[in-house]
Amino acid sequence: MDKFREQTPVKRDKTTSPELPRRKSSRPSITELRLFLHTWGQSFSSTTSARDVGLLEIEEKVTDVLMGETHLFLLTRGGQVLGFGDNSFGQISGSARRWTAPLPVEFLGQNKIAKVFCGADFTFCVGSKNEVWSWGQNLRGQLGHGHCETVATPTLVRNLRAEDDSHGRAASARTLIEDKLGSGEAVVAIACGSCHALALTSKNRVFACGQGENYALATRTTVNLTTFKEAGLVKDLIDAQSHPVIDKIVCGVSHSGFILNKKAYVWGAFASGGILAKKPTIISSNIEFEDIVLGDLSSTFLSTKKEVVVLGEFAFGSNHPSKQNLSTPHIAPERLNLPCKIGGIFGGLNHVLMVSLDGDKVFGIGSNHAGQINPFSTESYFAQPEELSWLQGVGGLKFYARGHSTFCLAREQLQSRELQLALRLHEADRLKAKYIDVRNRIERIARKNEALTTENERLRAIASKTSERGASSQGSQNSQEEISSDQVNINNSLISSHRQVQIRAQRRKNDQADFRNRFQRDRNHGKHRRRKFRQDLPRKVARDRRRRQDAQGRAHEGGKHQRFSL
């Protein structure tokens, strides 16, 4: 199952030995099957979120999803690019404020697109001739155009200008910042955060642009850059390696990271409370990593042993800033307790999905306020890994996560028996919560009744004492009037208290009867649905078997007619 993130491509030397040819599998790959694109969490087609699984209707088969925080691009098998989501800053294309459905996008006219990279509200793409284009929000100059104004249309990054080769002809646009790229060097990947971007070249050099206030650019300064500049601190680290190979480079909201020779490094503000790394800092010298996901003040890593390690001030997770101390510069990662090996991690701003190595189980951790982990749960966050049972056994899943949204490519539509079971479990949880609430209300009413009974007894005692005082002072007219007035007040109080007790008792009986009726109705409805499902299942199985037999018979008869006609 093709569910793992692809590593950042790195241009290898020509002397590298070619890979051995892989053995062909009889099982069709995910790219050969029709795929369904599902989404849950924050909606890209509106500003609201619905706790449900949506399905995007696309005529052509989707092969990849390139996500920003509020917009995305879909790549189809026919090479078409579809845009979808928010377009307030022109980060998709055109003048529409929001693309409510996936539509074809024409980026660069006649120029062909090789790769697309999405930031929070901006977009980068690399052309087939290694030219780099960017557009969208440019709040901190992260687009690399030398200014901080919004760019509504795809614009060539001018400081990625072409250099002349030895024959005087213009080479492809692969020179970054004052012609600092060498001959044959090109940009192979761009990592986009919220307000900064990192560019990786084919010779393992990293260039940065955008917000530098949190040391996320690794340029020995906190100045914002509106044009790309080589990350000097990263260069020092790479130069110290004998054979440096960068497998992955990523950006979070206010920090950055990469995997260099199987070791993970981060720099920038990766936790609240002023906790930051001013230079690339190794996560662990004893653990080798193969993947990294950065969010908002959180970092998640996948080791080569298929274990998940977390770091930073997880607003949703099990780490706390008090566990992190970079004053020495030492980072203490924490390993998540999972019941199986993990084959892939996919994360947004405050949530992470983890897929088991065999692809049968999916776990989520983090914020669920928009339903981006489990749309059928009322929990707002999961502090510990939560298994998503409604996705168990579906198969053929490929996840994408960014911002507060999750997308999934699946071989089958997620409206199966597992989903219906999840819905029924969710309804059962809702009824249980409602039952507990009614029971608590009944207990509160009972306590109030006890208090009223105590008050009635106190009033009766006062009335008794008043009667005795009135009998001993019959000779005084004023005393008699006072006694009569007190007696009237006491009687009124008794009548009012008794009436309140009766009203509350009747209300409690009505609530109990209403709850019993609704509970019995929901229970009978569930029994009817389960009975109908059990009755219909054999007929459906027999009908499908007959259809297959008829189809096989027709195919056999057609083959015989064709053979006789010859």
Side-chain angles (χ1 to χ4, degrees):
M1 181 175 63
D2 298 340
K3 57 186 178 300
F4 311 135
R5 290 178 180 268
E6 296 181 357
Q7 294 181 344
T8 303
V10 179
K11 194 172 183 180
R12 305 297 183 185
D13 192 50
K14 292 183 178 180
T15 59
T16 304
S17 59
E19 295 183 356
L20 294 175
R22 294 185 178 181
R23 192 175 180 182
K24 291 186 178 180
S25 174
S26 58
R27 182 179 180 181
S29 66
I30 194 170
T31 58
E32 297 172 353
L33 300 172
R34 180 187 176 188
L35 302 180
F36 296 92
L37 181 60
H38 302 84
T39 175
W40 56 91
Q42 182 69 45
S43 174
F44 273 36
S45 59
S46 65
T47 57
T48 60
S49 60
R51 289 184 175 270
D52 196 5
V53 176
L55 177 66
L56 293 182
E57 297 291 342
I58 303 172
E59 296 181 358
E60 196 169 355
K61 184 163 67 77
V62 175
T63 59
D64 202 359
V65 180
L66 308 167
M67 289 187 63
E69 289 185 13
T70 58
H71 72 292
L72 60 81
F73 296 99
L74 307 175
L75 303 184
T76 66
R77 188 173 186 178
Q80 196 175 29
V81 181
L82 307 179
F84 178 54
D86 183 40
N87 193 41
S88 301
F89 304 97
Q91 61 263 41
I92 299 178
S93 182
S95 58
R97 296 284 295 177
R98 180 176 295 276
W99 291 41
T100 57
L103 296 174
V105 179
E106 293 294 337
F107 283 128
L108 312 176
Q110 300 298 327
N111 298 311
K112 293 184 178 181
I113 300 172
K115 302 169 187 175
V116 179
F117 308 93
C118 295
D121 295 304
F122 60 95
T123 306
F124 275 84
C125 77
V126 178
S128 58
K129 297 181 180 180
N130 295 327
E131 65 273 25
V132 178
W133 307 71
S134 64
W135 64 98
Q137 190 184 42
N138 196 27
L139 189 62
R140 294 291 186 269
Q142 62 266 29
L143 299 183
H145 296 303
H147 58 79
C148 295
E149 298 178 359
T150 298
V151 180
T153 57
T155 304
L156 183 68
V157 181
R158 292 298 177 183
N159 58 349
L160 305 178
R161 58 184 180 272
E163 66 177 353
D164 293 337
D165 58 17
S166 57
H167 300 285
R169 295 173 298 180
S172 298
R174 53 194 178 192
T175 306
L176 195 50
I177 305 303
E178 299 176 359
D179 299 330
K180 288 187 177 179
L181 286 189
S183 177
E185 189 175 9
V187 175
V188 295
I190 299 176
C192 302
S194 290
C195 291
H196 72 289
L198 301 178
L200 175 66
T201 72
S202 57
K203 293 188 177 180
N204 288 329
R205 294 207 293 167
V206 177
F207 293 82
C209 186
Q211 184 177 13
E213 301 167 1
N214 297 316
Y215 298 93
L217 303 183
T219 54
R220 298 189 178 92
T221 180
T222 58
V223 177
N224 296 340
L225 300 178
T226 58
T227 56
F228 281 92
K229 180 180 179 181
E230 187 171 7
L233 297 176
V234 176
K235 182 178 183 299
D236 295 342
L237 179 63
I238 295 176
D239 290 344
Q241 307 289 327
S242 57
H243 299 286
V245 176
I246 299 177
D247 293 323
K248 187 83 179 278
I249 184 167
V250 291
C251 291
V253 173
S254 55
H255 64 308
S256 307
F258 69 169
I259 296 178
L260 174 63
N261 292 346
K262 301 297 181 181
K263 300 298 180 182
Y265 298 81
V266 296
W267 60 92
F270 65 91
S272 62
I275 300 178
L276 53 82
K278 297 183 179 180
K279 63 179 181 179
T281 308
I282 191 170
I283 299 301
S284 175
S285 58
N286 301 323
I287 305 176
E288 293 186 346
F289 297 95
E290 64 181 45
D291 201 359
I292 175 174
V293 171
L294 303 184
D296 183 11
L297 304 177
S298 62
S299 307
T300 308
F301 308 89
L302 179 63
S303 70
T304 54
K305 294 183 179 180
K306 306 303 179 181
E307 297 175 334
V308 178
V309 176
V310 294
L311 175 70
E313 194 264 330
F314 275 81
F316 53 79
S318 54
N319 280 6
H320 191 272
S322 61
K323 294 183 181 180
Q324 313 299 331
N325 182 12
L326 282 182
S327 57
T328 57
H330 175 69
I331 303 176
E334 180 178 344
R335 184 180 289 106
L336 290 182
N337 184 18
L338 293 165
C340 59
K341 299 294 185 181
I342 299 299
I345 56 177
F346 314 89
L349 282 176
N350 300 109
H351 76 287
V352 173
L353 296 179
M354 299 160 283
V355 183
S356 63
L357 190 60
D358 57 10
D360 289 337
K361 295 182 179 180
V362 182
F363 302 88
I365 185 172
S367 174
N368 193 48
H369 74 279
Q372 60 265 50
I373 294 179
N374 188 352
F376 308 111
S377 173
T378 58
E379 296 289 337
S380 61
Y381 71 94
F382 297 104
Q384 298 296 331
E386 176 78 7
E387 183 177 355
L388 306 182
S389 58
W390 63 284
L391 290 174
Q392 184 176 359
V394 176
L397 298 179
K398 188 176 182 181
F399 289 97
Y400 305 88
R402 194 73 184 267
H404 304 296
S405 305
T406 302
F407 282 76
C408 173
L409 281 175
R411 292 172 180 163
E412 60 185 67
Q413 191 170 346
L414 296 183
Q415 293 180 356
S416 57
R417 187 172 58 184
E418 289 79 10
L419 182 56
Q420 297 298 328
L421 176 61
L423 291 172
R424 289 197 294 269
L425 292 175
H426 173 63
E427 182 66 15
D429 292 340
R430 186 187 66 82
L431 290 176
K432 182 178 179 181
K434 192 172 183 179
Y435 169 77
I436 293 174
D437 180 66
V438 173
R439 187 179 63 184
N440 292 336
R441 288 172 56 190
I442 293 174
E443 292 176 354
R444 288 197 298 269
I445 292 173
R447 288 194 295 268
K448 289 182 180 180
N449 288 337
E450 293 177 358
L452 289 173
T453 303
T454 304
E455 181 68 13
N456 287 337
E457 292 176 356
R458 187 182 68 82
L459 292 174
R460 288 194 183 95
I462 294 174
S464 177
K465 291 180 180 180
T466 304
S467 299
E468 294 174 0
R469 186 180 62 183
S472 63
S473 59
Q474 292 180 356
S476 174
Q477 184 67 26
N478 294 333
S479 298
Q480 187 65 32
E481 292 177 356
E482 292 177 359
I483 291 171
S484 300
S485 178
D486 291 340
Q487 188 68 34
V488 170
N489 293 335
I490 290 171
N491 291 336
N492 292 335
S493 299
L494 287 172
I495 293 171
S496 177
S497 299
H498 183 66
R499 186 176 300 164
Q500 290 181 3
V501 170
Q502 290 178 340
I503 292 173
R504 293 183 183 276
Q506 185 63 34
R507 187 179 299 167
R508 180 182 60 182
K509 292 180 181 179
N510 294 338
D511 289 341
Q512 290 176 346
D514 182 64
F515 176 77
R516 284 195 299 270
N517 293 335
R518 282 182 291 178
F519 185 83
Q520 186 64 29
R521 184 175 64 252
D522 294 341
R523 183 179 180 183
N524 293 337
H525 182 65
K527 287 182 178 179
H528 174 73
R529 292 184 63 184
R530 288 193 296 272
R531 188 183 304 113
K532 189 175 184 307
F533 177 80
R534 288 194 296 268
Q535 292 174 354
D536 293 343
L537 183 59
R539 290 196 297 269
K540 290 181 179 180
V541 172
R543 183 186 60 197
D544 293 340
R545 186 183 297 112
R546 288 195 301 271
R547 288 179 177 176
R548 288 193 300 269
Q549 291 176 354
D550 294 341
Q552 293 175 358
R554 287 193 299 269
H556 182 68
E557 292 296 331
K560 290 198 299 182
H561 290 312
Q562 184 177 5
R563 186 165 58 250
F564 290 142
S565 63
L566 293 177

